[in-house]
């Protein structure tokens, strides 16, 4: 009697365990860590909206498993990103980590991806070296050197001989400065000064005054997504444009999310980047229409596209591995080639970094709204930061 009861209990426990396992295996979990509050909240909002759009369009099951998207706010603090990533891996047992709004957040998490063999899809951060911080990193955003080199080739052919660089003082800014300076100088241009502004709450005024005094043909700028509006406002207030100093940069400064609110000062600004909301392809028109329908009043920017394409890479890899995570999932991400709303792109199997077109664009008014209008294309640009 007692023995039978014991056996019964064991059988029940075993069943519960199996059921628990089956349940866990029935899900494919994506841990999406983003800055949803604080100064970089726009990046989090764009990426979350795009990830949800991808799921709405492509179904919430993959390889027979229900996809669970777990969105967490890291407030753009690296120690928080790392702690959340740890919880997602250990407690939630996510198959993949994704998001990473800024370089320091990605770098803080990379060692954990390596230790736990969890693929880590970087959808926003853009310092070249991030993919080298862990063999488990795959990137669907872009790299600053890709954009910087392109505008450094364009500028000397378009009347810009003397430039001052002005960048946010951290990873992507340092990349933006170095790769612009090297290429622009190689092309016969001269960088007369290189200024770095604090990453958080920057006051551009004293730096812009310095630029005014130096009287270059152009000031070349990198600031992270979201900070462009403040820069543009102070650029106008200082009368830089009237002093004949042109503004050029990577497309982060004319971020589509906020471009429309920048007003006339943004008109004619030339930048280089991998995505514009007005990219003229059928696929992009569909993407923008669906995004705007699902998120009234919001325009998808390059962050949204990094998130959307990141979900594509994850879904297709999960299909190939039948929902398994770890190294097989990572390997199934390498070499993926597809059409993105940005244009053609692929994940370089060797570097795990994105290869795509870089476009030269000019801010113009179209039907009463400001857009980055692409007018030249460099095709299949690899990260120049990997050549060294
Ligand atoms: C980074 C690069 C962040 C480019 C950005 O916006 C950006 C980064 C938040 O690597 O931290 O536009």
């Amino acid at each position: 009697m007692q023995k039978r009861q014991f056996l019964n209990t064991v059988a029940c426990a075993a069943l519960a365990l199996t059921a628990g396992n089956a349940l866990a295996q029935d899900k494919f979990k994506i841990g999406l860590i983003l800055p949803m509050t604080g100064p970089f909240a726009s990046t989090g909002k764009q990426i979350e909206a795009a990830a949800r759009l991808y799921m709405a369009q492509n179904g919430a099951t993959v390889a027979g498993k229900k996809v669970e998207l777990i969105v967490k706010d890291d407030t753009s603090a690296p120690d928080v990103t790392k702690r959340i990533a740890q919880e997602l891996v250990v407690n939630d047992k996510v198959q993949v980590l994704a998001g990473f709004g800024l370089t320091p957040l990605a770098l803080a998490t990379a060692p954990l991806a390596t230790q736990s063999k969890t693929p880590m899809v970087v959808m926003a951060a853009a310092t070249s070296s991030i993919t080298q911080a862990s063999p488990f990193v795959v990137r669907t955003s872009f790299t600053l050197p890709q954009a910087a080199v392109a505008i450094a080739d364009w500028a000397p052919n378009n009347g810009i001989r003397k430039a001052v660089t002005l960048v946010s003082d951290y990873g992507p800014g340092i990349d933006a400065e170095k790769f612009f300076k090297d290429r622009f100088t190689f092309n016969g241009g001269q960088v007369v000064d290189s200024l770095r502004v604090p990453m958080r709450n920057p006051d551009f005024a004293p730096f812009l005054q310095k630029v005014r005094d130096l009287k270059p043909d152009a000031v070349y700028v990198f600031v992270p997504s979201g900070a462009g509006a403040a820069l543009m406002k102070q650029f106008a207030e200082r009368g830089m444009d009237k002093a004949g100093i042109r503004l050029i940069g990577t497309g982060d400064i004319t971020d589509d999310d906020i471009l429309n609110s920048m007003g006339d000062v943004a008109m004619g600004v030339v930048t280089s980047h991998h995505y514009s909301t007005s990219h003229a392809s059928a696929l992009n028109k569909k993407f923008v229409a669906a995004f705007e329908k699902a998120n009234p009043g919001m325009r998808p920017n390059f962050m949204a596209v990094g998130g959307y394409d990141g979900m594509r890479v994850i879904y297709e890899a999960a299909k190939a591995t039948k929902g398994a995570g770890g190294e097989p999932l990572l390997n199934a991400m390498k070499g993926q080639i597809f059409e993105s709303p940005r244009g053609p792109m692929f994940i370089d199997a060797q570097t795990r970094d994105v290869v795509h077109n870089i476009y030269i664009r000019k801010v113009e008014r179209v039907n009463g709204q400001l857009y980055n209008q692409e007018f030249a294309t460099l095709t299949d640009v690899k990260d120049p930061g990997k050549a060294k």
Side-chain angles (χ1 to χ4, degrees):
M1 180 74 172
Q2 261 200 341
K3 191 175 172 193
R4 195 165 51 207
Q5 214 166 37
F6 172 71
L7 282 176
N8 242 337
T9 315
V10 170
C12 280
L15 210 88
L17 226 110
T18 322
N21 269 344
L23 225 86
Q25 283 168 6
D26 275 335
K27 285 190 179 163
F28 183 84
K29 294 186 186 176
I30 304 168
L32 185 60
I33 314 174
L34 295 167
M36 299 304 299
T37 53
F40 301 103
S42 67
T43 291
K45 292 203 178 99
Q46 286 274 342
I47 293 177
E48 183 187 4
R52 295 205 186 279
L53 175 64
Y54 189 89
M55 288 178 70
Q57 291 175 332
N58 293 275
T61 30
V62 67
K65 297 185 183 214
K66 193 175 176 339
V67 179
E68 190 181 335
L69 186 72
I70 308 175
V71 181
K72 298 276 185 191
D73 177 14
D74 64 13
T75 70
S76 78
D79 52 325
V80 179
T81 317
K82 188 182 164 188
R83 177 174 52 72
I84 291 172
Q86 209 145 8
E87 288 166 5
L88 286 168
V89 167
V90 175
N91 301 341
D92 297 290
K93 304 199 168 28
V94 297
Q95 274 89 345
V96 56
L97 293 167
F100 308 102
L102 296 148
T103 289
L105 314 180
L107 291 180
T109 311
L112 176 81
T114 308
Q115 283 156 24
S116 65
K117 297 191 190 302
T118 310
M120 170 175 160
V121 178
V122 174
M123 297 170 159
T127 301
S128 173
S129 65
I130 291 171
T131 43
Q132 284 150 332
S134 166
F136 282 82
V137 167
V138 168
R139 173 156 41 201
T140 59
S141 50
F142 75 108
T143 80
L144 261 307
Q146 288 174 330
V149 164
I151 194 81
D153 278 340
W154 178 84
N157 292 324
N158 290 275
I160 298 170
R161 296 269 144 208
K162 270 169 67 176
V164 171
T165 62
L166 174 59
V167 303
S168 259
D169 192 5
Y170 78 116
I174 309 303
D175 271 2
E177 177 191 288
K178 180 187 185 322
F179 283 83
F180 176 83
K181 192 174 175 179
D182 287 357
R183 187 65 152 248
F184 187 66
T185 308
F186 175 81
N187 287 334
Q190 190 194 353
V191 172
V192 290
D193 207 350
S194 289
L195 311 175
R196 296 178 181 178
V197 303
M199 176 206 172
R200 289 182 191 269
N201 308 315
D203 176 13
F204 296 109
F207 297 95
L208 290 174
Q209 187 55 48
K210 182 115 196 261
V211 173
R212 242 198 111 134
D213 296 343
L214 288 163
K215 295 190 177 55
D217 300 318
V219 56
Y220 158 86
V221 180
F222 164 80
V223 292
S225 179
L231 166 86
M232 220 47 106
K233 189 164 167 283
Q234 293 185 6
F235 189 84
E237 280 167 7
R238 301 256 131 196
M240 305 286 288
D241 44 346
K242 298 195 179 67
I245 299 169
R246 293 166 73 184
L247 176 60
I248 58 172
T250 62
D252 309 76
I253 61 169
T254 53
D255 182 348
D256 279 305
D257 194 29
I258 46 177
L259 177 60
N260 225 356
S261 63
M262 289 180 187
D264 280 350
V265 64
M267 291 285 288
V269 170
V270 175
T271 57
S272 53
H273 231 205
H274 57 292
Y275 180 68
S276 165
T277 308
S278 69
H279 178 66
S281 72
L283 183 75
N284 184 51
K285 289 202 172 88
K286 260 180 65 184
F287 167 72
V288 173
F291 187 97
E292 290 182 344
K293 185 158 180 253
N295 306 278
M298 229 171 131
R299 192 198 258 192
N301 69 359
F302 62 97
M303 294 300 185
V305 166
Y308 191 76
D309 293 334
M311 289 296 283
R312 193 270 182 203
V313 167
I314 293 169
Y315 261 58
E316 292 304 316
K319 281 182 201 167
T321 65
K322 306 221 181 331
E327 237 159 336
L329 188 68
L330 172 77
N331 289 334
M333 292 180 183
K334 296 177 186 173
Q336 281 195 31
I337 175 164
F338 57 97
E339 189 189 351
S340 150
R342 74 186 80 183
M345 75 176 259
F346 68 94
I347 303 296
D348 186 314
Q350 256 70 53
T351 62
R352 293 162 279 103
D353 220 335
V354 57
V355 179
H356 51 191
N357 297 344
I358 296 291
Y359 307 91
I360 310 293
R361 319 92 50 85
K362 184 185 212 158
V363 177
E364 286 170 3
R365 192 165 271 121
V366 182
N367 299 327
Q369 300 212 10
L370 298 186
Y371 285 99
N372 291 294
Q373 295 298 94
E374 295 169 348
F375 64 87
T377 307
L378 288 95
T379 53
D380 298 336
V381 180
K382 288 191 172 201
D383 176 27
K386 302 290 188 296
K388 312 269 137 25

